[in-house]
Amino acid sequence: ITNATNLNISYEGFTMLQYDDATVAADGSTVVELYFDRDYHLMNFQLDGGYGVEPIYARYGKEFRVAKPTKAGYEFKEWSVVTDSSRTAEQNAQAEAIAEALANGEAVTIPAFDIVFKAVWNTKNVSATVVFWYENANDDGYSYINHVTVENLEADSEISAETYKNL
């Protein structure tokens, strides 16, 4: 036997190793042992300014889970799967199921392909403080006069000094 690939032997998540050629004995006693290594796959996480989750590079079938990421002014909603044209429809469905399970804090196993997940965030209401400083009459410095805390602002929204200049 000189080419086991002609035997059409393959297993999802595994790569067959090289093997020694064998001549088949007339008495049928020939044994050819084929070894398969588990493949490594990358689970990557695009956090869009958040933090708390690192990429995972592990062997096929390894169980893992991830913590919910954190981002100031936002609440983590879910993981979306970044499109990869090399995946089959079945793999895309599996990737979506993994994303949903990870968002729910469940353990999943490394699939037989790489996946990139993107964090989806909901904004939450935050507050901001506007501080008033008046220029001193007798030097080049400024003195604190007052401040106003503005509540229920959406993260990343803009606040204008014009609104508060006459307080």
Side-chain angles (χ1 to χ4, degrees), residues 128-133 144-150 164 167:
T129 302
V130 179
V131 180
F132 302 92
W133 300 86
Y144 169 81
I145 300 300
N146 195 5
H147 74 275
V148 173
T149 301
V150 183
Y164 305 99
L167 292 179

Side-chain angles (χ1 to χ4, degrees), residues 65-138:
R65 71 178 68 226
V66 296
K68 288 186 179 180
T70 302
K71 182 178 178 179
Y74 294 85
E75 292 177 318
F76 175 74
K77 179 181 178 186
E78 64 188 1
W79 293 110
S80 68
V81 177
V82 175
T83 303
D84 181 342
S85 61
S86 68
R87 285 196 300 257
T88 65
E90 183 180 314
Q91 289 173 328
N92 283 329
Q94 185 181 3
E96 292 293 340
I98 291 170
E100 184 177 344
L102 289 175
N104 292 327
E106 299 171 21
V108 295
T109 58
I110 298 288
F113 51 92
D114 297 347
I115 305 175
V116 177
F117 300 98
K118 181 173 176 49
V120 177
W121 303 97
N122 287 329
T123 58
K124 61 182 180 179
N125 288 338
V126 296
S127 63
T129 302
V130 179
V131 180
F132 302 92
W133 300 86
Y134 288 171
E135 184 177 21
N136 298 334
N138 57 355

Side-chain angles (χ1 to χ4, degrees), residues 35-84:
Y35 291 87
F36 294 80
D37 273 355
R38 279 182 193 270
D39 296 334
Y40 278 89
H41 292 283
L42 177 65
M43 305 296 108
N44 207 352
F45 301 88
Q46 296 176 350
L47 302 177
D48 189 27
Y51 61 92
V53 178
E54 296 295 324
I56 298 170
Y57 186 68
R59 290 180 189 254
Y60 168 75
K62 169 83 173 147
E63 188 174 271
F64 76 100
R65 71 178 68 226
V66 296
K68 288 186 179 180
T70 302
K71 182 178 178 179
Y74 294 85
E75 292 177 318
F76 175 74
K77 179 181 178 186
E78 64 188 1
W79 293 110
S80 68
V81 177
V82 175
T83 303
D84 181 342

Side-chain angles (χ1 to χ4, degrees), residues 147-165:
H147 74 275
V148 173
T149 301
V150 183
E151 302 287 340
N152 296 319
L153 296 172
E154 193 172 285
D156 291 332
S157 62
E158 292 190 14
I159 188 170
S160 171
E162 283 295 313
T163 306
Y164 305 99
K165 71 179 184 180

